Amino acid sequence: MFPHLVERAKPGVIAVLPNGKRFVNEADSYHDFIAALLAATPAGDTPQAWLLADRRTLRRYGLGHARPFPFTPTAWLRTGYLQRGNTLAELAKQCAIDANALAETVERFNHFASAGEDVDFHRGASAYNRAQGDHQVTLGPLREGPFYAVRILPGSLGTFSGLQTDEHARVLDEQKAADTGSVRHRQRHVERDARLLPQRRDHPRARHDLRLSGG
């Protein structure tokens, strides 16, 4: 998902599935975005979506790694990270998106943008959405070709899980026994930090780590 944390909410950017249809409020958090993507993906299919923008939107806001003007998208087009089509139909072919459904989706979204209300997913209705937009605006049409797209795949941004340890910071195996190999690894890690950054040895946490690791 990274680095698509901000531009999803900008006017003129939408997200669609390979079937060419929107599935989420693009301005919601990345947690909600990926949850909606997983829920909308048929069983057995690869969860993926496409972020779309027209020429004007790309120049103003960028799209992922493709930065806005005065930078050009040439390098990202060359690598295949960024796809381009002079028309929506051409872009759909490049990305294997249902062209007819995409045309209908963009037409419907453009109508919402003109009316100032996203009837389908209520984009821009919350303060969070508006804060991610451009001066509180999150809706904008896709009209000016060429059109661009970047594929979105879910990934891990962080985790709240970890290794289970005992009071001596030793990793426990499935039988709750201390793994002596992890102790040796931890000792090497702590000793390396102390060697590369000697000032860390005087930090209370560093002294604690050194004591636990036998350093």
Side-chain angles (χ1 to χ4, degrees):
M1 183 65 188
F2 178 84
H4 307 286
L5 302 180
V6 177
E7 87 277 29
R8 291 180 290 108
K10 295 297 187 284
V13 176
I14 64 170
V16 300
L17 297 169
N19 64 13
K21 299 179 180 180
R22 291 176 69 213
F23 61 96
V24 70
N25 176 343
E26 295 91 347
D28 278 348
S29 75
Y30 53 85
H31 300 96
D32 295 327
F33 185 98
I34 293 300
L37 173 58
L38 296 176
T41 300
D45 288 0
T46 299
Q48 60 178 314
W50 293 88
L51 280 185
L52 273 62
D54 66 5
R55 174 183 176 275
R56 180 182 56 183
T57 299
L58 181 73
R59 282 173 60 87
R60 184 172 179 83
Y61 305 113
L63 196 63
H65 286 298
R67 301 176 67 183
F69 182 83
F71 297 95
T72 69
T74 304
W76 298 112
L77 290 167
R78 187 182 304 120
T79 64
Y81 169 81
L82 187 67
Q83 299 293 325
R84 178 176 61 192
N86 290 323
T87 65
L88 285 173
E90 186 177 316
L91 182 65
K93 183 177 180 180
Q94 293 281 351
C95 303
I97 298 173
D98 185 305
N100 292 331
L102 178 61
E104 294 175 1
T105 294
V106 171
E107 181 180 4
R108 182 174 177 83
F109 183 81
N110 287 350
H111 173 73
F112 293 160
S114 297
E117 181 183 7
D118 176 9
V119 175
D120 289 342
F121 295 100
H122 311 291
R123 174 169 160 181
S126 71
Y128 177 86
N129 284 179
R130 294 190 294 274
Q132 303 299 313
D134 185 351
H135 294 85
Q136 301 291 303
V137 176
T138 67
L139 297 176
L142 290 79
R143 289 202 176 104
E144 183 180 335
F147 299 91
Y148 297 87
V150 170
R151 188 164 73 132
I152 298 294
L153 297 170
S156 296
L157 185 65
T159 177
F160 291 100
S161 300
L163 300 174
Q164 185 175 3
T165 62
D166 64 11
E167 68 275 16
H168 301 295
R170 297 177 299 183
V171 176
L172 303 180
D173 61 20
E174 294 180 355
Q175 285 72 44
K176 307 299 183 182
D179 182 353
T180 56
S182 70
V183 175
R184 290 193 297 272
H185 175 76
R186 180 180 177 84
Q187 183 173 0
R188 288 195 299 270
H189 177 77
V190 172
E191 289 174 347
R192 182 205 63 189
D193 280 358
R195 184 175 64 256
L196 296 177
L197 298 170
Q199 66 272 21
R200 283 191 176 180
R201 297 185 70 97
D202 297 326
H203 192 281
R205 174 60 184 271
R207 291 200 298 270
H208 176 70
D209 286 349
L210 284 167
R211 183 172 64 255
L212 288 178
S213 66

